[in-house]
Every structure is written in C-alpha cells, then in structure tokens.
C-alpha cells in the first residue's frame, strides 16, 4: 500500500498509508464542555446545476452525517458557514436544511443549534436587515432549535457605526424566546465582515460586542468567537458576564482554549470538528474525567491538519472538510454545492489526505487510499 502524492512544488513522493484506523467508539454526552460540530452539506452529484444555480442537496446523506456526529455525543451547529451559507447555499436551501435537521435531531435526541442570518437580502436599510434577521429567527425558533445569531454581510455594509449594531442586536435579543449564541466571524472567514461591530479596531469592536451582551445577559447563552487569535479570545471570555459561555471558533488554537486555565475555559463550536468528530469526542470524554493532559495528547496532534485546511484563503476550508468526508466514506462522491470542490489544489488535497491518514481518521484506510488514487488519476498522476 503506497501512494504517489504531489508536494507544493509538483514533485511526487511516495507515501505509505496506515493500515488500521484509530480505535474510537461512540459514547455518552459530555459533562465538562458543550461541544458543537458545524456540519457540512452533501451535494446531489446527479443534479444538473451550475455554480449560479440554487444548491441541490442530497438530503439522505446530509442527515446521515448529522446522525454520525450525534452518535458520538456532539451537538450539531446547523446552517453555519461550514454548510456554505452565502457560498453556494442560499436562504431557501438553508431554511430547508434547518427544518429537516431540526426534525431529525428531535427524532434521535440530538442537540442542535441553527444559524440565523440575513442572506435572503444582499443589502438594505437597517429596518430591512432587522426584518431579514427576524424572518430567520422565527423559522429557527419554530423548528425547536437554539438560535445562533450570525454576522450579517448586509448589516456590515449598511451600519454607520457601533450604535447601529447595538440597535439591531438589541431588538433581536429582546424578542428572542430563548437565549441565543452570538457569533463573531472574522474577515479571514468572510472578507465582507471587515469592521464588524462598527470598527476595524478589534479593541473598539470588542467593547461594542460586550455592550450588546451586557444589555441583555439573560438572552445570551454564549458567544462564538472566530478570530483565530487565542489571546484575544481568552481576554474576551474573562470579561463575559456570569453565565454567558464562550464557544471557541478558533480552528488554529482550539485544544488550549477548550482545556482552559485557572481562570476559565471555552466550550466549542468548530468547523474542524466535522472531520475530527469521533476523535474530538473521545478527547472531550477524557477531559470529562479531569485528565487535561490526556485531552491534549489526543487533540494537539490534530492542529496541523486543521491549520492546513483553514489556511488562507480561510473561507475555502469547506473544500477540505468535504474532501475528507468523501475519503472517510461518509458520502459517495467529492462534489460540492457551487462547484467548490475546485477551490483547493491537488497538493493541498494530498497533504490533507496524508495528515488525516496519519491521525487515523479514516474508518476504512483502504477505501480512503483508493479514493485518493482516483482523484490523483483524474489529475493525471499515475501510480
């Protein structure tokens, strides 16, 4: 069992895959941390679509992947950017995804939270942005799922300063029926979100973010921070009101942030916990026993893979996530809504395969090897 893989220079090297996967089992819900995996959607490979068409989703495979995550004790963060919101999946598709996944969660007893945004409009007045948020919040609450108030491209384009964010978010929090998660997504994930909370100065933006929370602490379950800055997240979580959680969205530094320190820790809502699901769950169960060193021993080696998948342009990390799902046998094809399977290079895929295989993430290493060779052959690499 060897595979010839291209490196960043185009040269081929020989890689010997592992023969056995990491031994992981399903288990009980976690006790020390709340952990969500932001899950991807599976495209319908037989749909006659173009990158400009509405997304065609394979609902059976998409829901099966969520059952896989729930079986390991993970919560599912649905219709987030991992599911290609605003990058192939429009609001109509996201609404259907929320309805279906929430019903599935109810049927199997899985935990679910769903993204609430404004992607049914490209731009608009503050009143129109607020109305778009309200429409999505109503749908999520009607589905029985927890709401995650996502950052809005339309609000970023329309707001004139911090006061507009305070107004829109204050209005939404007052009418939310249950505590929500506030999501701060940085411009490395979506360049259209530059200057969110009314300032490109992150210290100023943080003050506004905290002002929103302080005005309605009973309506904020927690915050999800995706700025890829560990110290900033630590500083922010130490300033949160009592009872408001910090869910790390830092796909570069998640082991240390979840492990925490003597002043606190982060929970998790992570895109990397889509491909890492079973391994991440195993690590958190070790942490539940108080064994922080054991948790780090399991999770620290995954950071190299995560940083590879989330390298700039970070918004294309979804391509690597779906690629690994295909290699792992969670879907029968490597096709993405919007044609985003083309967003990364062959050397990028080769390194992702090598790192994931080294971690033992593939339940069937032979299947993963065969599928990797199929992709290589399509690019003209002979074995």
């Amino acid at each position: 069992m060897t595979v010839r893989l291209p490196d960043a220079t185009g040269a081929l090297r020989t890689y010997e895959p592992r023969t056995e996967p990491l031994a992981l089992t399903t288990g009980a819900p976690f006790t020390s941390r709340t952990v969500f995996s932001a899950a991807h959607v599976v495209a319908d490979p037989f749909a006659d679509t173009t990158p400009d068409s509405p997304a065609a989703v394979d609902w059976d495979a998409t829901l099966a992947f969520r059952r896989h995550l729930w079986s390991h004790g993970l919560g599912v963060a649905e219709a987030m950017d991992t599911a290609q919101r605003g990058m192939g999946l429009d609001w109509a598709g996201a609404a259907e995804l929320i309805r279906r996944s929430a019903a599935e969660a109810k049927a199997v007893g899985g935990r679910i939270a769903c993204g609430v945004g404004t992607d049914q409009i490209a731009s608009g007045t503050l009143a129109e942005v607020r109305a778009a948020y309200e429409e999505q919040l109503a749908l999520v609450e009607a589905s029985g799922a927890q709401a995650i108030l996502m950052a809005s491209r339309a609000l970023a384009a329309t707001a004139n300063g911090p006061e507009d964010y305070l107004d829109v978010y204050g209005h939404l929090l007052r009418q939310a029926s249950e505590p929500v998660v506030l999501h701060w997504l940085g411009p490395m994930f979506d360049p259209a979100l530059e200057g969110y909370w009314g300032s490109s100065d992150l210290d100023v933006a943080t003050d506004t973010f905290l002002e929103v929370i302080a005005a309605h602490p009973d309506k904020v379950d927690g915050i999800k921070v995706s700025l890829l800055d560990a110290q900033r997240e630590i500083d922010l979580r130490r300033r949160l009101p009592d009872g408001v959680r910090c869910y790390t969205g830092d796909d570069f530094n998640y082991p240390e942030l979840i492990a925490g320190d003597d002043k606190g820790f982060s929970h998790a809502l992570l895109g990397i916990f889509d491909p890492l699901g079973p391994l991440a769950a195993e690590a958190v169960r070790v942490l539940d026993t108080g064994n922080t060193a054991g948790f780090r021993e399991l999770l620290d080696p995954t950071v190299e893979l995560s940083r590879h998948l989330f390298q700039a342009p970070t918004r294309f990390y979804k391509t690597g996530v779906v690629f690994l799902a295909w290699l792992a046998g969670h879907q029968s094809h490597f096709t993405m809504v919007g044609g985003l399977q083309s967003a990364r290079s062959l050397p990028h895929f080769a390194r992702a395969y090598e790192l994931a295989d080294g971690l033992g993430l593939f339940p069937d290493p032979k299947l993963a090897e065969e599928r990797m060779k199929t992709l290589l052959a399509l690019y003209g690499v002979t074995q």
Side-chain angles (χ1 to χ4, degrees):
M1 290 177 63
T2 60
V3 186
R4 297 175 72 217
L5 299 174
D7 62 21
T9 71
L12 293 173
R13 66 186 187 283
T14 299
Y15 174 70
E16 184 174 344
R18 61 188 293 159
T19 58
E20 297 293 334
L22 190 65
L24 298 168
T25 59
T26 57
F30 314 129
T31 58
S32 64
R33 303 289 188 273
T34 300
V35 181
F36 289 98
S37 165
H40 74 280
V41 292
V42 183
D44 179 355
F46 303 117
D48 186 11
T49 62
T50 71
D52 294 331
S53 304
V57 177
D58 181 337
W59 294 112
D60 289 343
T62 293
L63 295 176
F65 187 74
R66 281 135 183 82
R67 291 193 296 272
H68 155 71
L69 294 171
W70 285 320
S71 75
H72 287 276
L74 296 156
V76 168
E78 188 55 276
M80 302 294 290
D81 59 296
T82 306
Q84 294 180 243
R85 288 287 293 270
M87 289 185 68
L89 187 69
D90 60 13
W91 167 235
E96 182 70 8
L97 178 63
I98 289 166
R99 285 189 288 263
R100 287 176 180 261
S101 289
E104 195 74 12
K106 189 177 298 182
V108 304
R111 182 165 187 164
I112 188 168
C114 298
V116 170
T118 64
D119 45 334
Q120 66 271 56
I121 62 172
S123 62
T125 65
L126 287 178
E128 289 168 335
V129 169
R130 193 171 68 191
Y133 263 131
E134 290 171 340
E135 177 189 356
Q136 296 200 15
L137 178 61
L139 185 145
V140 169
E141 291 189 334
S143 77
Q146 183 179 17
I148 303 169
L149 294 186
M150 302 169 67
S152 162
R153 291 176 179 174
L155 180 55
T158 302
N160 290 316
E163 64 282 352
D164 289 337
Y165 289 88
L166 292 168
D167 176 67
V168 170
Y169 278 89
H171 184 91
L172 294 169
L173 291 172
R174 283 191 294 273
Q175 65 178 282
S177 60
E178 299 290 340
V180 307
V181 176
L182 295 180
H183 185 191
W184 185 357
L185 189 70
M188 67 289 293
F189 287 92
D190 186 345
L193 299 177
E194 178 65 43
Y196 212 74
W197 305 111
S199 178
S200 293
D201 182 324
L202 291 180
D203 292 334
V204 175
T206 296
D207 288 342
T208 303
F209 187 44
L210 288 168
E211 189 174 346
V212 169
I213 299 164
H216 308 277
D218 59 321
K219 289 297 186 72
V220 181
D221 164 72
I223 62 169
K224 187 215 170 182
V225 187
S226 300
L227 298 175
L228 305 184
D229 183 334
Q231 190 58 52
R232 182 168 293 279
E233 178 175 322
I234 291 168
D235 294 341
L236 176 55
R237 79 184 181 203
R238 289 176 179 170
R239 297 174 64 188
L240 292 174
D242 290 343
V244 176
R245 310 181 199 200
C246 180
Y247 294 91
T248 188
D250 188 333
D251 300 278
F252 282 8
N253 304 292
Y254 51 93
E256 65 189 81
L257 292 165
I258 297 170
D261 54 31
D262 58 353
K263 296 182 179 178
F265 57 82
S266 295
H267 299 270
L269 198 166
L270 287 161
I272 192 56
F273 280 7
D274 177 308
L276 290 184
L279 177 54
E282 182 84 4
V284 175
R285 271 188 280 274
V286 170
L287 186 60
D288 286 346
T289 69
N291 184 357
T292 302
F295 166 80
R296 296 293 299 266
E297 286 172 9
L298 281 170
L299 214 53
D300 282 0
T302 69
V303 171
E304 186 178 4
L305 171 63
S306 188
R307 291 189 175 215
H308 177 73
L309 297 183
F310 284 77
Q311 67 184 234
T314 301
R315 64 188 182 278
F316 294 129
Y317 77 89
K318 306 158 190 72
T319 300
V321 165
V322 175
F323 170 66
L324 294 181
W326 173 55
L327 293 186
H330 294 299
Q331 53 194 79
S332 61
H333 59 86
F334 179 35
T335 304
M336 296 176 66
V337 299
L340 277 180
Q341 66 272 11
S342 65
R344 292 294 199 188
S345 69
L346 184 61
H348 182 89
F349 293 135
R351 184 61 179 155
Y353 163 70
E354 185 176 10
L355 290 170
D357 179 72
L359 292 168
L361 293 184
F362 302 130
D364 184 346
K366 183 62 177 175
L367 174 67
E369 179 197 357
E370 291 170 352
R371 289 185 169 181
M372 186 68 224
K373 286 180 174 178
T374 296
L375 183 69
L376 289 162
L378 288 174
Y379 279 79
V381 179
T382 57
Q383 297 296 321

